[in-house]
């Protein structure tokens, strides 16, 4: 159908049994009217002796006539310059696809899939969580070549400022690994992580491991008795204080790991949350055994001793004890990890053998301690030491600890 197109003419064009064309008088511009009523802008042309067509912009009425004509004129200029508009469009699509493939998100996800082959499930889960929480929201859509050192520094500082210095350090390591991987894949030649260390200052690790001096223990124990908190949260804090175990290992304690008759807590080699994956056996004081027997009435049917508040199939969250300490008035003064420092300082102060203390803190691989021969190092010595320590805590508190009272 010849003649100039108008918006009204296009609007009034009704669908037919078969598709048909409405032609503009200039610029090789057409409207293709489909049987379902859809209307597509097309640029129809001849190139190198053959007929072809290319879609112009969005369908009508998302693109109106003036914009369609302007795009058709651009395509005509290409054609007059010896460029096939269809091939030009294919090249632009390939370039756009390549840009998307070279984004940080694509590189990070590819690196993650590659690295998970060597990681333990717990490590993979942790890295995935921080990729999704921190790295991808900030950098995901950016092309690798567009990411600057200052962008990475801003990201690392934001993580550190929220009180997660360990995560900030890990993020810097992951960023370095991701860009190394991307360069090896020839997706980029950029290395914005190279000078990142020079412009990022991460808070000292000791800050989140704050701990009170020995002299403040009576007041701390009194505050823990009075604070309103779940027995599970209090129990996790007391167990960490009784045993000097790592926070992650303590809050993820499983019933299958404890032998209440023998008063032992057995951690197998390679256990999640256990730094360096050492095996470890902790003797449990009478106070710890009594507390665990009380807690068995609450969580004994579940896998974990300290079950999550909202989902008992999962362990206690890592912020539960922190929140309790804050309500007690010890925000910034005492952390769950800091309890290890409290115990270590107190036991050294009381004159206990340093090797016994270090073994209880799981600072050495028990399988490599000379003369051990696959037995648990200093077990009975540590049992005596931890029982003495639990009795000292009762004395400082002025009464035996009872988490269900």
């Amino acid at each position: 159908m010849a003649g100039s197109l108008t918006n009204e003419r296009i609007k009034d064009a009704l669908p037919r049994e078969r598709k048909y064309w409405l032609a503009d008088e200039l610029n090789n511009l057409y409207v293709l009217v489909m049987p379902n009523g859809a209307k597509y802008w097309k640029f129809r042309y001849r190139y190198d002796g053959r007929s072809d067509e290319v879609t112009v912009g969005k369908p009508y009425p998302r693109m109106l006539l003036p914009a369609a004509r302007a795009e058709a004129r651009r395509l005509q200029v290409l054609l007059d310059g010896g460029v096939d508009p269809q091939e030009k469009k294919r090249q632009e699509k390939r370039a756009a696809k390549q840009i998307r493939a070279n984004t940080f998100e694509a590189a990070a996800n590819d690196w993650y899939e590659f690295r998970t082959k060597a990681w333990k499930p717990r490590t993979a889960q942790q890295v995935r969580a921080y990729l999704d929480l921190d790295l991808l929201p900030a950098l995901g859509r950016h092309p690798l070549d567009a990411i600057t050192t200052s962008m990475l520094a801003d990201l690392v500082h934001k993580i550190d400022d929220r009180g997660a210095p360990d995560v900030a350090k890990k993020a810097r390591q992951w960023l370095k690994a991701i860009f190394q991987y991307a360069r090896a894949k020839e997706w980029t030649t950029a290395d914005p992580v190279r000078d990142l260390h020079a412009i990022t200052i991460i808070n000292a690790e000791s800050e989140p491991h704050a701990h009170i001096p020995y002299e403040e223990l009576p007041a701390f124990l009194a505050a823990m008795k009075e604070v309103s908190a779940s027995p599970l949260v209090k129990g996790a804090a007391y167990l960490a204080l009784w045993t000097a175990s790592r926070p992650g290992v303590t809050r993820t304690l499983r019933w299958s790991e404890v032998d209440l008759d023998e008063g032992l807590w057995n951690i197998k080699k390679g256990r999640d949350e256990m730094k360096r994956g050492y095996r470890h056996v902790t003797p449990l004081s009478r106070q710890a055994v009594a507390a665990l027997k009380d807690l068995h009435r609450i969580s004994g049917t579940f896998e974990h001793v300290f079950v999550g508040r909202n989902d008992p199939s999962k362990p206690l969250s890592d912020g539960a004890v922190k929140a309790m300490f804050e309500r007690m008035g010890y925000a910034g003064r005492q952390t769950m990890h800091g309890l290890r420092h409290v115990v270590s300082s107190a036991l050294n102060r009381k004159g206990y053998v340093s090797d016994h203390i270090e073994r209880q803190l799981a600072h050495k691989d028990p399988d490599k301690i000379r003369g051990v021969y696959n037995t648990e190092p200093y077990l009975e010595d540590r049992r005596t030491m931890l029982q003495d320590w639990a009795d000292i805590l009762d004395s400082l508190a002025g009464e035996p600890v009872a988490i269900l009272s």
Side-chain angles (χ1 to χ4, degrees), residues 136-287:
L136 295 186
L139 305 171
R141 295 184 179 181
H142 293 280
L144 293 167
D145 292 340
I147 294 175
T148 65
T149 303
S150 62
M151 290 168 63
L152 301 184
D154 288 343
L155 171 60
V156 172
H157 282 140
K158 285 180 181 178
I159 298 172
D160 186 42
D161 288 344
R162 73 166 188 250
D166 290 341
V167 178
K169 288 187 176 183
K170 284 291 186 182
R172 197 159 60 186
Q173 295 172 13
W174 296 329
L175 289 167
K176 180 179 180 180
I178 290 168
F179 270 93
Q180 285 178 333
Y181 182 81
R183 289 195 301 276
K185 287 282 191 175
E186 298 184 350
W187 295 335
T188 184
T189 58
D191 187 9
V193 191
R194 182 187 62 188
D195 299 321
L196 180 58
H197 185 83
I199 59 174
T200 53
I201 298 176
I202 297 175
N203 293 330
E205 287 187 22
S206 58
E207 184 174 332
H209 302 335
H211 59 284
I212 59 175
Y214 180 82
E215 290 73 17
E216 293 187 27
L217 268 174
F220 177 80
L221 292 169
M224 190 147 67
K225 176 187 176 184
E226 296 300 326
V227 70
S228 176
S230 162
L232 295 169
V233 178
K234 284 191 177 184
Y238 277 121
L239 187 64
L241 189 55
W242 282 321
T243 65
S245 296
R246 298 182 190 280
V249 179
T250 302
R251 69 180 179 81
T252 59
L253 172 64
R254 294 166 172 84
W255 284 114
S256 60
E257 294 175 338
V258 294
D259 184 336
L260 297 181
D261 293 331
E262 296 294 327
L264 293 175
W265 173 7
N266 294 280
I267 297 174
K268 294 182 178 180
K269 189 172 184 176
R271 157 82 143 82
D272 289 344
E273 302 287 354
M274 190 65 181
K275 191 173 183 179
R276 302 185 185 92
Y278 295 160
R279 66 177 178 87
H280 191 53
V281 179
T282 289
L284 298 172
S285 63
R286 292 188 301 273
Q287 290 87 333

Side-chain angles (χ1 to χ4, degrees), residues 211-214 217 237-245 334 336-350 352 357 360-361 385-386 389-390 393:
H211 59 284
I212 59 175
Y214 180 82
L217 268 174
Y238 277 121
L239 187 64
L241 189 55
W242 282 321
T243 65
S245 296
Q334 182 65 61
M336 194 169 177
H337 195 286
L339 293 177
R340 285 166 58 82
H341 296 273
V342 172
V343 179
S344 176
S345 297
L347 293 178
N348 278 288
R349 173 176 175 163
K350 296 291 184 181
Y352 288 95
I357 298 171
Q360 184 54 38
L361 294 170
M385 179 179 71
L386 291 184
W389 171 237
L393 289 173

